[in-house]
Amino acid sequence: MPERIRNICVYCSSSNAIDGTYFDVAEEAGRLLGAGGYTLVYGGGSVGLMGALARSVHEHGGQVLGVIPEALKAREGVAYEIADRLVTTPTMQKRKAVMYQHAEAFMVLPGGFGTLEEFLEVLTLKQLGYHRRAIAVVNTDGFYDPLLDLFEHFYDERFAPETHRALYHLADTPEAALHHIEAYGDA
Ligand code: AMP
């Protein structure tokens, strides 16, 4: 029987300007992680979906491990200072490495460039065989459909084999994403 997953890394938007629907999704993800007794591993921010997610994990009894570069932490109001652990790193690259080290599975919520970069990095590492952890993408109201169209283009043009669809899982809701992660284990 594989060990139960405890530390889930979530990538999501740092924007405060986005629609409330996205905040509902982040809060729901936080509620599920908190109530499920998980530790959230994330970018340590208090802004956008990141902040909503971390606060919701705490409200529902979960633990929060934030990993934030010194330069971002120095910016007032950006870091989630009440994280159970807030690790600071010298660079963005080191920050991603620390998040990756602690993560037993990855969940991707709607986000922008930063989120996309983080998602594609763990996807590429999995493609190359560096890890076999679950990657669940929460495709809220088809938010990621344009990206998934690009992925289809990769398959059509054989820049990636169709079998690579299995590297990531598409979920409509955080609940479905978490079900996938739980069933997948940390193979
Ligand atoms: P974005 O999707 O461009 O909003 O970037 C969000 C992702 O990049 C998060 O998963 C974070 O790891 C990182 N990030 C971007 N901005 C911040 C910030 N102000 N504080 C902490 N992390 C951030």
Side-chain angles (χ1 to χ4, degrees):
M1 185 79 182
E3 286 267 306
R4 181 183 176 272
I5 293 273
R6 299 228 158 256
N7 303 316
I8 300 184
C9 180
V10 182
Y11 302 128
C12 62
S13 174
S14 59
S15 174
N16 282 321
I18 57 183
D19 197 89
T21 318
Y22 298 116
F23 283 87
D24 295 344
V25 171
E27 280 162 21
E28 173 65 358
R31 184 185 72 76
L32 292 165
L33 295 187
Y38 293 98
T39 294
L40 166 69
V41 179
Y42 87 122
S46 62
V47 288
L49 299 191
M50 303 173 75
L53 170 72
R55 287 188 290 274
S56 180
V57 169
H58 264 163
E59 269 163 37
H60 295 93
Q63 300 272 309
V64 175
L65 166 60
V67 187
I68 193 159
E70 279 149 21
L72 274 181
K73 189 166 185 265
R75 277 198 229 154
E76 216 182 331
V78 167
Y80 185 63
E81 302 283 356
I82 60 167
D84 300 285
R85 266 183 77 197
L86 193 60
V87 177
T88 51
T89 61
T91 62
M92 283 292 277
Q93 283 81 1
K94 184 83 176 97
R95 175 240 221 136
K96 276 191 298 171
V98 173
M99 288 164 76
Y100 175 79
Q101 274 164 14
H102 284 88
E104 292 167 289
F106 303 94
M107 190 186 293
V108 184
L109 302 183
F113 295 121
T115 303
L116 188 59
E117 197 238 353
E118 293 167 328
F119 167 39
L120 290 184
E121 180 169 290
V122 293
L123 178 58
T124 309
L125 289 172
K126 192 172 177 183
Q127 167 177 259
L128 295 172
Y130 283 96
H131 73 89
R132 295 192 294 165
R133 302 171 221 166
I135 303 175
V137 179
V138 181
N139 191 23
T140 308
D141 298 331
F143 175 79
Y144 280 116
D145 284 355
L147 178 67
L148 299 171
D149 286 346
L150 179 63
F151 286 8
E152 289 309 310
H153 184 58
F154 291 167
Y155 300 132
D156 289 347
E157 296 291 321
R158 295 184 297 280
F159 280 79
E162 300 248 5
T163 50
H164 282 191
R165 286 181 209 282
L167 296 175
Y168 52 90
H169 176 81
L170 303 174
D172 290 334
T173 60
E175 188 179 19
L178 191 56
H179 278 156
H180 169 76
I181 287 170
E182 285 167 346
Y184 198 94
D186 64 343

